[in-house]
């Protein structure tokens, strides 16, 4: 009875949010915008495909012009709304992991106080999601994306090099298991609080492309509502792996769809993206050129 009530409420919440959140619903994707606040400089794991960077040119996750300080977040949101009144969502998605430092939660608290009607959206690798779930909920976060690239440590260990947890570095399958267990516990806890969870999987041909069905099934059981498959951008330690073909992406989406609704409009946003996804990106108007800042890598 109790879990049914939560399910009904969550379905209802998802329906409402998907009408105004550009990354939850197909129609909202072309009508509404998001602003990303790049307040998270560092990461606590190393994905083999991740090359975090700060520059003006590349449109992909992990890249931002520079790092924003939480104290400047409210003024940045104000300016973003002036540039693009269709913005309904304030997202924090990097350039590092959003829970590796306390800046994202601090930022959400400030933005929620100033703009309680905006949807707050966090993207994380999930290593510390269970630990900070209550804080995120209290800071007003209502949608979360967790990047889960595998639920089998053998497969995950081919995608990450290490995990740093409470000052200790873990490698190989041990690191992979720590990450997977933490992600699933985090998804369970935050979804039980009523937060909508989308799972992103980076499709890496030859490594996790035959593992999508199991991943989708497992994250659904943990509490996820939506699934998004992102094609690998071959770089860093996985630069030798070809990006998936359209056929491989389609196949993966069909596998995932056996368990979860699949979001098909993702635009691989930068960590400082601003505007309606797929339309002109306004981040250079919002943040300007800040190449003099120290270069951080993304996540
Ligand atoms: Fe940003 Fe991500 Fe929130 Fe959207 S992006 S934190 S869920 S508000 Fe959207 Fe961009 Fe794809 Fe992400 S199109 S990369 S899915
Ligand atoms: Fe960290 Fe994200 Fe880069 Fe992975 S992709 S190493 S989680 S910043």
């Amino acid at each position: 009875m109790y879990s049914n009530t939560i399910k009904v409420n969550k379905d209802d919440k998802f329906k409402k949010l998907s009408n105004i959140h550009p990354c939850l619903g197909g129609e909202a994707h072309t009508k509404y915008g998001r602003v990303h606040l790049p307040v998270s400089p560092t990461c606590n794991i190393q994905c083999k495909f991740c090359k975090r960077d700060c520059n003006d040119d590349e449109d992909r996750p992990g890249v931002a012009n520079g790092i924003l300080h939480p104290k400047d977040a409210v003024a940045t949101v104000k300016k973003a709304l002036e540039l693009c009144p269709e913005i309904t969502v304030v997202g924090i998605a990097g350039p590092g992991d959003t829970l590796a430092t306390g800046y994202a939660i601090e930022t959400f608290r400030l933005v929620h106080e100033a703009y309680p009607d905006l949807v707050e959206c966090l993207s994380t690798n999930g290593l510390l999601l269970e630990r900070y779930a209550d804080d995120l909920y209290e800071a007003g976060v209502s949608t979360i994306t967790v990047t889960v690239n595998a639920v089998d440590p053998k497969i995950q260990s081919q995608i990450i090099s290490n995990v740093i947890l409470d000052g200790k570095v873990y490698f190989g399958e041990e690191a992979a298991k720590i990450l997977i267990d933490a992600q699933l516990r985090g998804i369970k806890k935050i979804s039980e609080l009523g937060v909508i969870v989308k799972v992103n999987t980076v499709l890496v041909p030859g490594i996790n492309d035959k593992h999508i069905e199991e991943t989708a099934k497992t994250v659904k059981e943990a509490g996820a509502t939506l699934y998004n498959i992102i094609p690998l951008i071959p770089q860093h330690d996985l630069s030798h792996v070809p990006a998936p073909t359209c056929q491989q992406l389609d196949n993966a989406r069909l596998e995932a769809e056996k368990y979860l609704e699949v979001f098909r409009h993702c635009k691989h946003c930068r960590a400082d993206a601003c505007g309606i996804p797929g339309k002109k990106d306004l981040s250079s108007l919002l943040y300007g050129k800040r190449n003099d800042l120290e270069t951080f890598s993304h996540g």
Side-chain angles (χ1 to χ4, degrees):
M1 175 70 182
Y2 180 61
S3 65
N4 274 347
T5 312
I6 287 188
K7 187 173 184 315
V8 169
N9 290 344
K10 247 176 70 182
D11 287 350
D12 196 38
K13 186 172 175 185
F14 177 63
K15 225 189 218 159
K16 276 195 195 139
L17 281 172
S18 63
N19 289 326
I20 54 161
H21 190 312
C23 313
L24 297 188
E27 273 186 40
H29 197 68
T30 54
K31 276 205 251 167
Y32 295 106
R34 45 59 185 127
V35 56
H36 282 172
L37 304 175
V39 296
S40 306
T42 58
C43 195
N44 42 23
I45 70 173
Q46 179 60 57
C47 299
K48 293 185 180 183
F49 54 74
C50 177
K51 186 168 165 265
R52 294 185 299 264
D53 204 351
C54 283
N55 67 54
D56 291 337
D57 310 320
E58 291 179 83
D59 282 325
R60 62 173 174 82
V63 175
N65 256 351
I67 300 300
L68 184 74
H69 193 278
K71 72 174 170 38
D72 298 323
V74 170
T76 302
V77 172
K78 183 172 182 284
K79 190 172 170 195
L81 288 167
E82 285 161 11
L83 288 168
C84 178
E86 295 89 351
I87 286 174
T88 50
V89 177
V90 174
I92 302 183
D97 184 62
T98 51
L99 298 177
T101 55
Y103 300 130
I105 292 172
E106 186 185 345
T107 301
F108 278 133
R109 281 195 188 118
L110 294 168
V111 171
H112 191 53
E113 210 177 294
Y115 294 99
D117 294 336
L118 290 176
V119 176
E120 294 194 322
C121 182
L122 177 99
S123 178
T124 174
N125 63 30
L127 180 67
L128 297 176
L129 183 55
E130 184 191 36
R131 189 175 295 179
Y132 293 115
D134 289 319
D135 294 329
L136 289 165
Y137 180 72
E138 280 159 22
V141 173
S142 55
T143 55
I144 290 212
T145 297
V146 187
T147 300
V148 180
N149 294 326
V151 292
D152 176 340
K154 277 197 174 53
I155 297 174
Q156 180 70 281
S157 65
Q158 297 171 62
I159 301 176
I160 58 162
S161 314
N162 63 61
V163 161
I164 303 170
L165 184 60
D166 298 326
K168 197 168 166 207
V169 190
Y170 300 87
F171 299 93
E173 287 183 32
E174 186 187 16
K177 188 170 182 334
I178 288 170
L179 179 62
I180 294 164
D181 290 350
Q183 290 172 325
L184 297 176
R185 287 198 313 270
I187 292 171
K188 184 167 186 300
K189 180 158 180 194
I190 199 92
S191 64
E192 281 174 359
L193 289 170
V195 172
I196 302 298
V197 176
K198 169 163 75 56
V199 164
N200 277 359
T201 295
V202 178
L203 190 67
V204 188
I207 296 182
N208 68 356
D209 53 334
K210 302 282 183 292
H211 182 56
I212 298 299
E213 185 174 346
E214 194 185 342
T215 304
K217 180 173 184 286
T218 308
V219 297
K220 186 198 163 89
E221 283 165 5
T225 300
L226 191 65
Y227 203 94
N228 178 24
I229 296 170
I230 298 180
L232 171 76
I233 300 174
Q235 55 186 3
H236 200 49
D237 286 348
L238 293 182
S239 55
H240 59 288
V241 177
T245 62
C246 291
Q247 189 61 53
Q248 284 172 318
L249 260 179
D250 273 353
N251 291 346
R253 286 173 175 148
L254 288 173
E255 292 296 311
E257 228 155 24
K258 293 177 187 169
Y259 296 96
L260 281 168
E261 187 176 330
V262 171
F263 177 68
R264 290 166 187 264
H265 305 272
C266 180
K267 298 288 187 295
H268 299 164
C269 307
R270 289 166 53 111
D272 57 4
C274 176
I276 300 173
K279 301 209 172 146
K280 186 175 162 20
D281 189 81
L282 304 168
S283 60
S284 59
L285 292 176
L286 182 62
Y287 294 111
K289 288 186 187 291
R290 296 186 299 162
N291 286 340
D292 50 323
L293 291 182
E294 187 184 350
T295 295
F296 294 96
S297 9
H298 153 104

